[in-house]
Amino acid sequence: PSREDPRSATRFDLVEGVICTGGTFHMDSIEFMEHKRLPYVIVGRRDWKNLNPHYCAPDYVSGYQAATSYLLTMGHRRIALCGGKSWFEADADKRLGYLRAFEANGLMPDMDLILMDEPGKEKMRDTERFLLEQRPTAVITLGDEVWNMTKSALRKGKLSVPGDLSVVCFGLSDGMQMMGESRGYAPLTRIDVPVFEMGRQSAQMLISLLDGEEPRERGRFLPLDFIEGESCTPPGKEAN
């Protein structure tokens, strides 16, 4: 919706406040709500150019730093980061968390083990070849598609999880998780967004705005959920 679209004005006049998912709302929508002085809260995305909206976002930096440190403490050094778009705010945060884990442990990451789409270059489609050529001892994947390509690399290379490759998955659907376990894969170690809690706190912020109260903080970061499965072991160690 935009200021110039009368249908948007009609629709927004029917509500008192809006909770926006940052990944799908556009800049003109935010500008329109600012223009109408309509209370709103962003879920996820924080970068809105010159605007400073209220937001509730996952703490990707700390979450990915913790997941990478988890693998580093097991002895892994060749840890691949697969998935995402380098220019997308959330994925840039994940990459930063990954790099900070190496820095905090006094180690240098192998930058060749980061596989993300670049502007004009769709690199994620090469995940299977990338894993077989680079042969990391551990990988952090993003989403169902990247996990599917990882499984394809495992089959082609006759590799096992976690004996040959330790795996941490982010953003994996429940269906994909169940399908993997039904086909003999170890229960995966995962990083998940606390969706329910993020929605609850976003609603709390919006209610405060509707009551004329300014929330204590303009933005909130929520820690990611870390679910330890059986897909990670020290490098070179077979699973029990």
Side-chain angles (χ1 to χ4, degrees), residues 158-238:
K158 297 181 179 179
L159 306 173
S160 65
V161 173
D164 298 306
L165 182 69
S166 289
V167 177
V168 176
C169 287
F170 172 81
L172 202 63
S173 67
D174 290 340
M176 187 63 68
Q177 170 79 0
M178 292 173 62
M179 186 185 301
E181 292 180 17
S182 69
R183 294 183 178 178
Y185 287 99
L188 293 171
T189 295
R190 309 194 322 272
I191 321 168
D192 288 342
V193 172
V195 179
F196 178 87
E197 184 60 22
M198 196 158 58
R200 188 183 70 82
Q201 293 201 28
S202 298
Q204 282 184 336
M205 293 177 75
L206 182 59
I207 290 170
S208 295
L209 292 170
L210 292 171
D211 289 341
E213 302 172 1
E214 181 67 23
R216 284 180 299 176
E217 62 278 309
R218 197 149 189 96
R220 296 180 188 174
F221 283 105
L222 272 65
L224 301 182
D225 295 328
F226 185 79
I227 299 96
E228 187 172 9
E230 299 174 11
S231 59
C232 298
T233 58
K237 181 179 179 180
E238 292 293 334

Side-chain angles (χ1 to χ4, degrees), residues 115-127:
L115 186 71
M116 304 180 83
D117 283 349
E118 303 286 348
K121 296 179 181 179
E122 295 184 3
K123 294 185 175 182
M124 278 195 299
R125 64 176 60 178
D126 294 328
T127 298

